[in-house]
Amino acid sequence: MSDPVLSVEGLQKYFWEQNSLVDRLLGNDPVAVRAVDGLTFDVRRGETLGLVGESGCGKSTTGETVLGLQEPTGGRVEFEGRDVYDLSGEALDEFHREAQIVFQDPFSSLDPRKTIGKSVQQPLDVHDVGTKAEREDRVRDLLDRVGLSGSQYDRYPHEFSGGQRQRVAIARALALEPEFVVLDEPTSALDVSVQAQILNLLSDLQDELDLTYLLISHDLSVIRHICDRVAVMYLGEIVEIGDTAELFESPGHPYTEALLESVPRASLAEQDRTIDVLTGDVPSPRDPPSGCRFRTRCPEVIPPEGLDIDQKAYREVMNLRGLLENRSLSVTKLWERAGYDSPPEEPDDAAVDAFVDAAIERHLERSLPREYRVHVEDAFAAVARGNWETATLRDDFESVCERTNPDLDGTDHPVACHLPDR
Amino acid sequence: MSQGSGFDLRRRDVLKATGVAGVSMAGLAGCLGEEAPDELTITLSQFPDTIDPLDHITGDYFDVLDHIYEPLFDFEPGDGIFPRVVEETEILGGGVTELQLRDDVVFHNGDDMTAEDVAWTINRTVDNDIGVASDIGAFGLGSITGAEAMDDTTVEISYSGAPGLAEFEFGNYARAMNRDWSIENHDADQEGESISGADPEDFNGTGPYEVVEFTSGEEVVLERFDDYWGEEPPFERVVFNSDGESSGRVSSLETGETDVTINILPEDVNTVQNADNVEIRRVTSFRNIFLPMKNTVEPFDSQEFRQAMNYAVDNAGIVDSVLSGFGEARGQPVAPGINGFNSDIEPYEQDIGMAESLVEDSGYGGIEIELTVPQGRYLNDAAVGETAADQIDQLDNVNCEANIVDFGVVSDANSAGVDPDVIEIPFYMIGWGTITGDTDYGVQGFFSQDAETRSFDDEELSDAIAESQSIEDPDERRAQLEEVNRIAHEKAPFVFLHTQESIYGVREDIQWDPREDETVYVWGMNQ
Amino acid sequence: MISDRITSNLRRTFRESLLPKIGMVLLVSIVLMAVFAPLLATHDPTRTGYYDEGGNAYPPIGTEYTTQIAVDGEIQEVEVTADSAHVLGTNNVGQDVYSRFVYGARISLLVGFSATLMAMLVGVPIGLIAGYYGGRVDDALMRVADTMLAFPALVLALALIGVFGESPVYVPDPIVSLGLADGMPESIPIPGTVTIVAALVIWVWFARVARGEALSLRNEEYVKAAKSFGTTDRDVLIGHVLPNSVTPIIVLATIQVAVIILLEASLAYLGFSGTTLSWGYEIERGQDILRTRPWVSTLPGIGIVLTVIAVNLLGDWFRDALDPNLDEGQRGA
Amino acid sequence: MREDVLRVEGLSTRFFTGEGQVNAVENVSFDVREGEVFGIVGESGSGKSVTGLSLVDLVGSPGEITDGELWYRDAELADEVREEFPDVVDGEYVDLRGVPESVRTSLRGTSLSMIFQDPESSFNPSLTVGEQIAEAVEVQQRASSRPRSTRARTDGEEYSLGSLVLSFALPSRRYVSEESRERAIELLELVGIPDPVERADEYPHEYSGGMLQRAMIAQALAGEPDVLVADEPTTALDVTIQAQVLDLLSELQAETGMTILLITHNLGVIARMCDRVGVMYGGEIVERGTLEDVFRDNVHPYTEGLLGSVPDLESVGGSLDPVPGNVPSLLDHEMEDRCYFADRCPKAMEACLERPPDTRVEADGDHVVKCVLTDLEYGESPPLPDDHFETEGADASDGGSNESADASDKSASPDGGDSR
Amino acid sequence: MSIAKFLVRRTLQAVFVVWGVVTIMFGLRAVSPGDPATLMLGEGATAETIARVRAQEGLDEPIYVQYLDYVQGLLIGDFGYSWRSNREVEAMVIERIPATLELAIAATVVALVIAIPLGVVSATRRNEPADYGATLFSLLGISTPNFWLGLMLILLFGVWLGIFPTGRRPVGLVEAIWTLVAFGSAGDLLTWLQHITLPALTLGTYFTALITRLTRSGMVDELGKPYVTATRAKGLPAVLVRYKHVLRNTMIPILTVLGLQMGTLMGGAVITETVFNWPGLGLRLIDALDARDWPLMQGIIVFIAVAFVTINVFVDALYSSLDPRVNDE
């Protein structure tokens, strides 16, 4: 195993909302959007580390924060052993030369007012590399190298197709002969045939120039195709890191597994493959679930000891608990279902019963063993009387998954999950 | 009445009509359309923005306020003053004149008018410590120093100048306010306080009309005051409103919305003459228009230069063109008909060559000057000023630009005095209506070295005026005033322009001759 | 800064639509008229006294009017006929209406363009910096902008002029000083305060647009890329953000020129411009004599309308070709 | 074999833009069978979305269907229009291009419905999701309660500006009745929206992308359509959500038996969902047939290249085998009269310099290919030299004309911008 | 964010703005040439009196004390006394509001009634004669200075055709309606209508033109959005799509623009009131400027700013109720 080029430890990046002067005057507390929440990983020299996840999981923010394009909220990033956020002067210059980035959107990645030659030359100008003529020559070489022609130096970006622009962006990233390149969804805006060309180009360049890549992508096929190792992100956290082949063949985390299963394969066998589709949506990073962040969708949440119900019924109870804890159960609608036009001020027992029935019918599709059902009924009755505090069902149903957030275990193929053997 | 009159239903008509029980809508419609015969509407060019009768010295304001706060005397331009509220005057000597008041005068609120009221009003006019700093006091009652009530109907007025001058002054500017009412309701004896308000009750004079409706800045409606001591005035109701545009006033006249309007521009004379039932009435006013030149700053310290300016301007031509003939070129500070007008003095005639050589003589050849011109105050004022400036500019050795500003600027410039450190605008256009009918009023404020507001600092002229003020014999005094005018012509403290005509549009069936002093008195009218 | 693509877009839109052509022809004619005013004018526009022998202003050629004059105290009606030397007649002080019309274009355009330029020079950098850095600077700018916008432009202008006076600035006329035109004024008065006030009134719009651009541009990937290899903020602002904000700013500037021409005209109309050689003032002058000599007000009004239309047409053209997203709300000022 | 529900013959749709005429869809023929999922796959700018829009008659200005026939099977409709327009009726089939627009409009929602790529922009942001679905329900109910022939006329009155103003003022005049609201909630439930009663009152922006796509499907189902055109229904979604939506579509199809025309660029989605496939390139369908025909027995080099470009999830590494070059311009004046793929085709021959016809691989089969290789072996006609299509200034590797790159970006927009 | 919270937030911002306006106005007054006491007392006041008044009015105090006094006054609704007429500024402002409000509302009504249908027609019949007509009209409308338009209307309708009166406001709307209700007489109302027609047209033309343009371009943009196609795809008739969906969504952003344009409307009102001698706030502002009556001028401008800000808070609230996205971004 080679030494890490980049080593990330506990990286956090929060965005703040409601942070204006007016908000302060109003006494609104700023709301943190936890885009990246405590990442730790290494990128090893010469490898391609894939960072995969669905939209909004914080993977692009990670890429940008690692390069210092965003101020981190917490954590350290070391590049070649030096803390990136402490760099200044010469050393910072050096870092800017050694670490580069290629972005997703080929239409936004090049300044439309600059010729592509000038765009590629810009890093050279900034770092004052060589003479003007040397720089121009270097740019022409680079353009040739990425499959364009040096003669296109004076063209403007709009004269190029998406794939060609992406080649220019790659040329620009390579201009300073960097050690390390962040590839932020470099092909996701491209058609599949062009994507393949770019992927091939990236592979070739890596071989030739001994580059280290951090490849950010939501496309598992792409990840699998070019990455040596993969880190899977969910809601600002890494849930699993591992060797590509190993991770793809025996995923450790339920999320990784679901993710892999969800991808339709472009093969004739695809129609016969059965998938266990993951339910629900990704929760908001403003208010991530407690404990394991995946628990709200996880097909294998761990019930508390001694609780003997099947996973689907438990899932239902968990969902209900979410509503109760957030007090987002729509009481008015339930009262309507129970036959009351408006919620009664002081509901009598009959009313409460009607409410509970309506709520059970509404929120529990699966039958729950009697002993557990009672708890739910009590909770609903409490809600009917307005006692949200006592209606959380926490004592009866709380899972380890919601209490503690599992850390990546210290193995070669670390996984953050409470399940044993994972 | 022409277009739109069918809709011209006013609330009072409705009130009247609906006052009669059982009047049907048809009947109602039938009695509309015709202006109630006993009502007169007068459209001014400026609506009073103050209701304190002492806090102004503007013609349009007098037109409104004099009907409410009647003058103590009747002033007839050219003829002098006649008894009104004051029945008799007696010069006691030693700078004191005694006034005998009528004993049957009541205020609109029912209080009897007493000598206390008159004396207090005069004191409030001339003494800035009591009430508002009065423009009338500063300009109108310049020589009056105070007044005292001797008994219920006797007031003694003291003054610093000649009794004749004082008589001209209080004859024109003395009014009576209700002392107790003013103090109780408006703190009117507090320094700086003027009477203000937006209700009819905020007016309280002894005039033949009392206020019944008042919309600030827009309209005031007067009705005959039933307890008026004198002759019943000709109209039951009088409405005053205003329109800053001559064309607007003419429109109102055309459509019958108004019966009398003032300040019709020569341009609109045609329209009025062509309209039905209305006609033009006009008179050469006591108002002279001129361009003061403050002689404490360059280049106006040179008499040659000032004379040159007078030669440069073709004032007769301006009258013919800009004023379409509605005026007369003038060569002295006051208009004909004014006591002391010097009929021997001819206007400066335009003589470019003379002007240019005088400029050379003055040593100010090649100078650049600016003429500040007010807009909307006098007959075609901006146009007159612009033309005058351009005519000066046509001299080879003078550059002159006109700067057209609001009247307030000019007015401030005029009263800024002659301190060279203070003067920002030494050359401007202004008009002065010598409404007292006496030259003194036309020259004293401008030339007397005692006057803070003087625009010209010259001992000879000032002394001549001072001398006139102490002469008691009217003929001698007139002769001295004629001399003052002569000196003024020669020293050219102004570029003398012209005397303007007052042009009125009046309903044909109203018998009324416009007055030289520009006031419009309803009691001088007849149907 | 103006790339090929922009010019080609402009060219194409110009080709395809009639309106930009009209606008272009109009504006070019008006600009030429303004530039060569001393050559095109037939009389010194400030020279008064062009009357007939009765002292009456001439009507435009082909028309006549009757007016009343007082001769020796008597009112007489006289017919006034046109004079071939005064194509569009003369005004009430006997100035040549045509010559004043020609010169009026100078004031309108000079004020319009110079105030816009000033506003741009002030507003754009402030807006770019606020938008680029965000945070407190931006917060402050937006509050200032809100405050400025709470004043109606005209009202604010009136208040400012009330404070600072009108101060016309006399600018020498190059054509006259070269001796190319005889008998024309050697300098023309530019309403100085009006120009500065207009700039003060509208700079906020530039700041807002520039801010918006910077705000979105700072998230553009090429900007991030530039930062990633160590470009300084200053270079990013000058090298990327500014050039890419140019288009909407140009479109806005065009709209604002129109706005300012109207503002100047309004101020001149109200008598606050400090010069009489302005279309707006000329309309005011004609207001009193609208009934008898309507041409005095009418012609300068047409001048304003045509100029503003020309500028607006070009603005529409720019917007259509360059930046379809800039909305009409900017027309506020 | 099931019957065709839709037969498309020689469909051409063109856009008349400032840059010139764009041949977005060029002489496309295919048929869709009742109850099947027919997939159309292609890269951006291949014309697949425009094909979908053309079927539902939603091509807006400056686009226009210029040629072709759209035979739709609807016995009832055929009876109705037979008398008036005998030429456009063939048995139970009606050529939708031949009937008046009002008839085509009346078919939208009830017979042909469509869902789109980006659910977020496909809902009116300022109305609740429930109301928008109820609207669709309402329209379909009103439509089906009246004979088709009178619909066009009464629609005008019913939906005039005046009645709109009234509807703001009078609750009784609202467009959406209580019943249709109930139905909307049922539909939401049907597509698996949790808490449909509550969610019906929420606005589109309060939905996640996946939920919104479900809602759009619910909306499309309001009129119980025979054919659902699904234009990239999962492209904007994350893969876990994509799986949910695909599942949903499958379930719904199984329940209702409707026919789905699935348009996508994702070969995996095609493989998962479709019975038969058409591969589009340059506005043409270059190859169509069953899934096996296309995925295994493909003939057209483009199909092969496309499949070769997809990285395999099942195996690691190795080099991909993509088609070189770029998607072509669809600008009429830049399209040469030849096989549009020839310039990128590794097997281009001189025979390719003429437009290849649609050729059936087997005489009675469904597998139709637009390529000379159907009949020829590579090399039978002289291969073109590598630099045959290189124009001045073009670069070797991307091959495509640089001048046209911009145009092809542009032409992607009428296609719905399906590049993401 | 709830509507209430949004409003609180927005109101707070509005308070900032008003404070800014007040401060700027105070600053302008402080730097304006001329001694306030002299201006206050008018011509002819003695130096002694001036000094006394200065002391009395607190003009001798340091500037910040004067500022605090002024702001304090404003907070309790005391705008001070007019230097010219010595009346309370509040009263002088309030009594002029109806006239200006009538004018502004009439102009807005004119604008909305004409502009929206025109814009819709223009957008839906693009490149047809109706569109060209509307485009030409709106181009003329935004390019015509309203004082000139007012004069031309006076010339045409007042002088030549004699249909409408050319100035003044003999009766207020409230009064006119009262007459109608109380006496069943429509005469006053007709008089009012006659008098307001030309001013309303003058003030309204620019807005008509502007809204026409906004509606047209907004509609065109909106019609190009995917949801329109989607809405058509579900079978909705074109008319319903156009009005219920597109027009509604077009009007939402226009609302904001209109809010911001209230400033222009006020500026326009100043001019229009001057041209037509319409006794509103604008005319009073010009009078105050002419007389350099600072307290009155300040009072009017602060009032206008407050009105502007209030309208915009209101518009924003309306916006947020119409566009559900605003509340939770």
Side-chain angles (χ1 to χ4, degrees), chain E residues 109-127:
Chain E
V109 168
V110 167
L112 292 178
V113 165
I114 300 176
I116 292 177
L118 207 58
V120 171
V121 166
S122 188
T124 49
R125 306 207 180 135
R126 283 173 83 184
N127 302 325

Side-chain angles (χ1 to χ4, degrees), chain E residues 47-284:
Chain E
E48 226 178 15
T49 321
I50 288 174
R52 250 201 310 271
V53 170
R54 283 182 64 88
Q56 186 186 317
E57 297 285 312
L59 294 168
D60 288 336
E61 303 279 349
I63 194 81
Y64 72 92
V65 175
Q66 292 184 40
Y67 173 70
L68 291 178
D69 282 351
Y70 180 65
V71 173
Q72 207 169 24
L74 291 183
L75 286 177
I76 56 168
D78 172 12
F79 283 61
Y81 289 84
S82 155
W83 287 349
R84 186 67 204 102
S85 72
N86 197 29
R87 291 183 56 208
E88 289 177 338
V89 168
E90 310 85 276
M92 296 185 76
V93 170
I94 289 168
E95 70 192 9
R96 288 301 181 97
I97 292 174
T100 298
L101 205 61
E102 280 170 21
L103 187 58
I105 291 175
T108 311
V109 168
V110 167
L112 292 178
V113 165
I114 300 176
I116 292 177
L118 207 58
V120 171
V121 166
S122 188
T124 49
R125 306 207 180 135
R126 283 173 83 184
N127 302 325
E128 289 178 31
D131 183 22
Y132 294 137
T135 308
L136 189 68
F137 162 77
S138 54
L139 188 64
L140 274 171
I142 56 163
S143 306
T144 307
N146 57 359
F147 54 91
W148 185 71
L149 177 69
L151 289 185
M152 293 300 113
L153 290 177
I154 289 177
L155 190 60
L156 181 63
F157 292 105
V159 176
W160 289 344
L161 299 176
I163 302 175
F164 292 109
T166 59
R168 296 182 54 243
R169 172 177 170 266
V171 61
L173 179 60
V174 175
E175 204 184 349
I177 289 175
W178 184 80
T179 319
L180 181 65
V181 173
F183 304 107
S185 151
D188 270 7
L189 197 58
L190 288 171
T191 309
W192 179 81
L193 272 175
Q194 267 195 319
H195 278 84
I196 206 168
T197 304
L198 294 187
L201 280 178
T202 303
L203 182 56
T205 298
Y206 175 84
F207 288 91
T208 313
L210 185 67
I211 300 173
T212 306
R213 282 170 78 99
L214 287 170
T215 311
R216 181 183 186 275
S217 65
M219 280 280 277
V220 167
D221 277 1
E222 204 68 24
L223 281 168
K225 290 196 174 163
Y227 80 83
V228 176
T229 313
T231 309
R232 285 175 64 207
K234 70 187 184 191
L236 240 54
V239 190
L240 192 54
V241 176
R242 203 172 289 160
Y243 292 122
K244 179 173 173 184
H245 290 265
V246 176
L247 181 58
R248 180 193 160 104
N249 287 354
T250 306
M251 292 321 291
I252 294 173
I254 291 181
L255 204 63
T256 322
V257 177
L258 285 185
L260 284 175
Q261 289 290 338
M262 282 298 133
T264 318
L265 189 74
M266 275 312 306
V270 172
I271 298 265
T272 308
E273 288 174 6
T274 311
V275 174
F276 288 94
N277 195 25
W278 187 263
L281 272 180
L283 203 56
R284 183 145 276 174

Side-chain angles (χ1 to χ4, degrees), chain D residues 6-300:
Chain D
L6 201 59
R7 286 206 306 257
V8 178
E9 283 169 22
L11 179 73
S12 291
T13 303
R14 313 221 181 288
F15 285 79
F16 301 94
T17 69
E19 314 241 325
Q21 175 185 328
V22 178
N23 297 341
V25 177
E26 174 85 354
N27 191 20
V28 160
S29 304
F30 61 96
D31 41 42
V32 183
R33 296 192 189 133
E34 194 168 1
E36 74 167 349
V37 179
F38 185 88
I40 293 182
V41 68
E43 296 180 281
S44 46
S46 63
K48 55 191 189 303
S49 283
V50 179
T51 305
L53 289 170
S54 302
L55 296 185
V56 193
D57 194 31
L58 284 176
V59 178
S61 172
E64 201 184 304
I65 302 176
T66 52
D67 201 10
E69 292 159 19
L70 296 174
W71 294 99
Y72 173 64
R73 189 170 65 102
D74 183 338
E76 196 191 328
L77 178 66
D79 289 343
E80 273 178 41
V81 299
R82 182 170 285 121
E83 211 154 286
E84 215 175 331
F85 310 100
D87 294 348
V88 302
V89 178
D90 177 11
E92 290 190 342
Y93 290 87
V94 179
D95 176 12
L96 296 181
R97 291 250 303 131
V99 296
E101 196 187 337
S102 59
V103 175
R104 285 201 297 271
T105 308
S106 72
L107 290 173
R108 276 208 293 268
T110 46
S111 301
L112 299 160
S113 207
M114 187 159 179
I115 59 175
F116 299 88
Q117 167 179 357
D118 184 0
E120 264 132 54
S121 63
S122 296
F123 274 98
N124 183 342
S126 58
L127 295 178
T128 62
V129 172
E131 172 160 10
Q132 296 189 54
I133 297 174
E135 226 176 38
V137 173
E138 189 78 15
V139 168
Q140 303 310 339
Q141 280 172 354
R142 290 188 197 188
S144 51
S145 67
R146 277 196 314 275
R148 214 186 292 270
S149 47
T150 63
R151 279 178 208 169
R153 226 174 318 121
T154 46
D155 277 354
E157 295 161 24
E158 201 161 339
Y159 301 115
S160 68
L161 185 56
S163 66
L164 181 80
V165 172
L166 273 182
S167 77
F168 283 130
L170 307 173
S172 61
R173 294 292 303 261
R174 297 232 182 264
Y175 283 94
V176 175
S177 65
E178 205 41 52
E179 294 75 53
S180 45
R181 267 191 57 82
E182 300 283 320
R183 174 71 185 140
I185 292 168
E186 280 172 38
L187 285 166
L188 284 173
E189 193 148 26
L190 180 72
V191 296
I193 305 259
D195 304 331
V197 182
E198 288 83 4
R199 309 287 321 233
D201 290 336
E202 289 182 3
Y203 289 93
H205 73 276
E206 298 172 87
Y207 276 58
S208 67
M211 286 298 139
L212 214 48
Q213 191 58 282
R214 285 171 189 267
M216 181 143 66
I217 294 170
Q219 178 173 275
L221 294 179
E224 293 165 16
D226 300 331
V227 179
L228 176 68
V229 180
D231 182 7
E232 302 267 14
T234 60
T235 307
L237 308 175
D238 277 322
V239 345
T240 54
I241 310 295
Q242 165 174 299
Q244 293 174 4
V245 169
L246 292 180
D247 246 24
L248 173 69
L249 281 175
S250 297
E251 275 171 37
L252 290 172
Q253 192 196 21
E255 269 172 48
T256 63
M258 69 179 168
T259 310
I260 295 179
L261 184 76
L262 181 67
I263 296 165
T264 181
H265 71 280
N266 187 329
L267 285 162
V269 171
I270 292 282
R272 176 147 198 90
M273 298 289 291
C274 298
D275 302 308
R276 296 191 307 134
V277 197
V279 179
M280 285 195 80
Y281 183 83
E284 298 175 323
I285 291 193
V286 294
E287 180 155 14
R288 62 186 148 99
T290 62
L291 211 54
E292 290 77 16
D293 290 341
V294 172
F295 274 67
R296 192 179 56 211
D297 307 328
N298 51 53
V299 174
H300 202 288

Side-chain angles (χ1 to χ4, degrees), chain B residues 106-187:
Chain B
V106 288
F107 285 103
H108 296 154
N109 71 342
D111 295 351
D112 284 330
M113 187 201 77
T114 65
E116 276 294 336
D117 292 319
V118 172
W120 177 79
T121 309
I122 289 170
N123 286 329
R124 184 173 181 262
T125 317
V126 299
D127 183 355
N128 283 333
D129 292 348
I130 308 173
V132 67
S134 166
D135 294 341
I136 292 180
F139 292 95
L141 300 182
S143 73
I144 309 293
T145 54
E148 197 181 341
M150 306 313 288
D151 57 42
D152 267 4
T153 56
T154 313
V155 176
E156 282 186 11
I157 293 185
S158 32
Y159 41 83
S160 57
L165 172 64
E167 190 180 77
F168 268 115
E169 292 186 344
F170 61 69
N172 267 284
Y173 289 112
R175 304 288 186 271
M177 297 171 71
N178 186 329
R179 175 175 177 271
D180 295 342
W181 173 87
S182 303
I183 293 172
E184 274 164 34
N185 294 295
H186 296 280
D187 292 338

Side-chain angles (χ1 to χ4, degrees), chain A residues 50-176:
Chain A
L51 203 53
V52 72
E54 294 179 284
S55 51
C57 71
K59 53 190 189 303
S60 288
T61 309
T62 306
E64 289 178 12
T65 313
V66 156
L67 289 188
L69 290 176
Q70 310 242 21
E71 286 279 314
T73 310
R76 297 167 58 82
V77 173
E78 279 180 15
F79 183 76
E80 306 275 21
R82 301 177 70 172
D83 188 335
V84 169
Y85 304 125
D86 278 348
L87 296 178
S88 61
E90 194 89 350
L92 185 63
D93 257 16
E94 174 73 18
F95 175 64
H96 283 314
R97 263 196 299 251
E98 291 296 340
Q100 298 295 331
I101 185 164
V102 175
F103 288 101
Q104 161 179 3
D105 184 354
F107 293 88
S108 146
S109 61
L110 299 177
D111 187 336
R113 300 296 171 94
K114 284 191 158 46
T115 63
I116 61 156
K118 282 270 176 278
S119 278
V120 175
Q121 197 176 320
Q122 205 186 346
L124 300 172
D125 293 341
V126 168
H127 290 274
D128 235 354
V129 177
T131 65
K132 194 165 178 297
E134 283 168 6
R135 282 181 237 165
E136 277 200 36
D137 285 347
R138 169 120 181 87
V139 170
R140 287 177 206 279
D141 287 350
L142 280 164
L143 290 176
D144 283 335
R145 182 62 202 85
V146 297
L148 297 167
S149 144
S151 63
Q152 289 166 318
Y153 186 96
D154 287 325
R155 301 279 184 100
Y156 283 91
H158 68 89
E159 297 174 57
F160 293 86
S161 69
Q164 290 170 316
R165 281 183 232 202
Q166 209 58 321
R167 289 174 193 266
V168 177
I170 292 169
R172 179 179 57 192
L174 297 180
L176 293 168

Side-chain angles (χ1 to χ4, degrees), chain A residues 15-29:
Chain A
F15 295 97
W16 297 96
E17 288 181 349
Q18 295 196 359
N19 199 23
S20 72
L21 194 61
V22 174
D23 285 308
R24 289 195 172 181
L25 283 174
L26 288 174
N28 290 338
D29 287 329

Side-chain angles (χ1 to χ4, degrees), chain D residues 287-362:
Chain D
E287 180 155 14
R288 62 186 148 99
T290 62
L291 211 54
E292 290 77 16
D293 290 341
V294 172
F295 274 67
R296 192 179 56 211
D297 307 328
N298 51 53
V299 174
H300 202 288
Y302 175 67
T303 313
E304 195 183 339
L306 201 58
L307 286 163
S309 302
V310 185
D312 192 351
L313 193 64
E314 310 284 336
S315 65
V316 76
S319 192
L320 295 169
D321 195 11
V323 193
N326 289 307
V327 174
S329 156
L330 295 177
L331 274 174
D332 187 57
H333 61 87
E334 286 175 10
M335 293 172 88
E336 289 168 51
D337 197 15
R338 56 163 165 86
C339 171
Y340 296 149
F341 187 61
D343 57 342
R344 297 173 74 186
C345 186
K347 298 182 180 172
M349 300 181 285
E350 277 180 8
C352 300
L353 295 177
E354 278 172 33
R355 299 288 301 277
D358 279 355
T359 317
R360 282 179 198 281
V361 176
E362 285 154 39

